[in-house]
Amino acid sequence: MKRAFPWNEQVDVISSDESSSSNPGVEVDNGSVDKKSMDITIDQPARQEPFEDVVIRRAEMYQEYMKQIPIPARRGSLIPFDTWMGLAKSIKQLYGQPLHYLTNILVKQWDQLRIGSKDENRSLDSIIHPSKAEASIWLIEEVHRQTTSPHHMAKLWLSDPMHYAFVDSIFPQI
């Protein structure tokens, strides 16, 4: 912000209703002030969009980006895993792709559903075949990438201040 005069000096503010002078360069308010001699430069802050609009726009950009990333067609190896989140992490590393925000939320919820079950401490790949588990994640990922409403996702992001923790920072070549 540029300031041509120090802010600690007193400044008389004159509204146009109080002006009774016929001279356009002079207004009277307990004395004369020559507007032409006052050099006041105050940069107006840029108009900011409401936070909700920014989040919606970011969600739209995110969704468009995720639609462009192709789901891997070939899956040749079995990935051992103990938890759904562990499988998701391995998939990200193996294929070098991010998983959709909603997929990351879903695998976290799937792991939470196991808490308190009799098989809670059992390795998940001994309960569900690794190929089926991986195929399930890719199927859900495709649904999230292709059909998620950016407005719904923005609403979720607005309700969760920590949403960025579930947005992967992997950027593959498209």
Side-chain angles (χ1 to χ4, degrees):
M1 191 182 286
K2 297 178 186 176
R3 296 183 183 136
F5 69 98
W7 283 103
N8 58 355
E9 293 180 10
Q10 182 179 359
V11 176
D12 291 331
V13 177
I14 306 168
S15 92
S16 61
D17 293 341
E18 297 174 2
S19 177
S20 62
S21 172
S22 61
N23 185 347
V26 177
E27 290 194 11
V28 177
D29 182 30
N30 295 336
S32 296
V33 177
D34 186 0
K35 286 184 179 178
K36 292 178 184 172
S37 68
M38 289 182 61
D39 185 41
I40 301 174
T41 305
I42 300 175
D43 292 337
Q44 295 294 325
R47 184 182 163 266
Q48 293 183 345
E49 293 182 62
F51 182 67
E52 293 81 15
D53 292 345
V54 172
V55 173
I56 289 171
R57 199 175 58 204
R58 284 179 42 210
E60 288 170 347
M61 291 174 12
Y62 176 80
Q63 190 62 27
E64 280 304 312
Y65 172 73
M66 292 303 288
K67 279 183 180 181
Q68 294 177 14
I69 304 171
I71 301 291
R74 294 185 179 249
R75 298 187 270 285
S77 61
L78 295 178
I79 303 171
F81 63 100
D82 293 327
T83 64
W84 286 107
M85 288 182 73
L87 176 59
K89 182 178 178 182
S90 296
I91 286 173
K92 294 173 204 179
Q93 290 173 346
L94 183 64
Y95 297 101
Q97 283 197 14
L99 290 179
H100 196 278
Y101 165 79
L102 293 175
T103 304
N104 286 323
I105 295 292
L106 186 62
V107 296
K108 178 185 173 199
Q109 289 172 344
W110 284 351
D111 279 340
Q112 289 173 341
L113 291 173
R114 293 185 65 206
I115 297 173
S117 72
K118 66 179 180 174
D119 294 325
E120 176 184 359
N121 296 320
R122 194 169 151 202
S123 177
L124 196 55
D125 62 358
S126 67
I127 300 169
I128 300 171
H129 192 276
S131 295
K132 288 181 180 180
E134 183 181 349
S136 297
I137 287 183
W138 284 120
L139 178 64
I140 295 298
E141 179 68 11
E142 186 172 20
V143 170
H144 288 153
R145 287 183 185 181
Q146 298 302 320
T147 65
T148 298
S149 161
H151 295 284
H152 174 72
M153 198 163 42
K155 194 161 58 168
L156 292 173
W157 287 359
L158 287 167
S159 68
D160 179 12
M162 297 293 290
H163 71 273
Y164 54 84
F166 294 98
V167 175
D168 292 330
S169 61
I170 303 169
F171 300 104
Q173 293 293 93
I174 299 177

